[in-house]
């Protein structure tokens, strides 16, 4: 079981910056990938960036060079630094954690996706 708490959303002018943070907690933490998704008004939820436990990060083409994702495996957090924001970045941003958890009934359960409640990012002049 993993609980996620998101912060950092808000209103920003085009060209500005925001930093989103997500903190994971639970009685047992075995985290695989951590990342951020977003959903613009009237559109499907899409990947923004993700960091596996080991390997390279992945960014949506639309944010490459502008956004930077990072994770702290000591604090169990994942941050998204968003620079040079444009109106098309507007949307609800969701923290995603893929994790394993221990069940007293079924032992370990692997590869479960957990989602934050979302934080709104609005880029507008």
């Amino acid at each position: 079981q993993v609980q996620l708490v998101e912060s950092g959303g808000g209103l920003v002018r085009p060209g500005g910056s925001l930093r989103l943070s997500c903190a994971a907690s639970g009685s047992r933490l075995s985290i695989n990938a951590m990342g951020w998704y977003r959903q613009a008004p009237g559109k499907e939820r899409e990947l923004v960036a993700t960091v596996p436990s080991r390997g390279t990060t992945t960014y949506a083409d639309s944010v490459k060079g502008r956004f930077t994702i990072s994770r702290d495996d000591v604090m169990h957090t994942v941050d998204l630094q968003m620079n040079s924001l444009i109106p098309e970045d507007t949307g609800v941003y969701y923290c995603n954690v893929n994790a394993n958890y221990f069940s007293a009934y079924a032992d370990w359960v692997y590869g479960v996706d957990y989602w934050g409640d979302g934080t709104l990012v609005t880029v507008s002049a």
Side-chain angles (χ1 to χ4, degrees):
Q1 296 282 358
V2 178
Q3 306 294 324
L4 304 179
V5 178
E6 304 155 317
S7 63
L11 174 65
V12 65
R13 301 287 185 88
S17 298
L18 284 174
R19 187 176 184 89
L20 306 182
S21 295
C22 176
S25 62
S27 60
R28 299 286 296 273
L29 292 178
S30 179
I31 298 174
N32 303 311
M34 306 183 78
W36 287 92
Y37 291 69
R38 69 186 181 189
Q39 187 168 21
K43 296 185 177 181
E44 298 292 321
R45 185 178 299 187
E46 65 175 351
L47 171 73
V48 177
T50 186
V51 189
S53 58
R54 293 184 181 273
T56 59
T57 60
T58 299
Y59 294 94
D61 288 340
S62 60
V63 307
K64 288 180 179 177
R66 300 189 297 118
F67 292 9
T68 302
I69 191 170
S70 60
R71 65 185 287 175
D72 186 329
D73 289 329
V74 175
M75 301 300 298
H76 305 297
T77 59
V78 58
D79 292 355
L80 184 69
Q81 178 65 47
M82 304 185 293
N83 299 325
S84 302
L85 286 161
I86 59 177
E88 289 75 15
D89 295 320
T90 295
V92 178
Y93 284 67
Y94 298 90
C95 178
N96 170 258
V97 171
N98 186 273
N100 318 307
Y101 72 91
F102 182 80
S103 168
Y105 300 97
D107 207 347
W108 282 98
V109 181
Y110 299 95
V112 179
D113 277 314
Y114 297 86
W115 295 91
D117 291 333
T119 183
L120 178 63
V121 172
T122 302
V123 184
S124 176

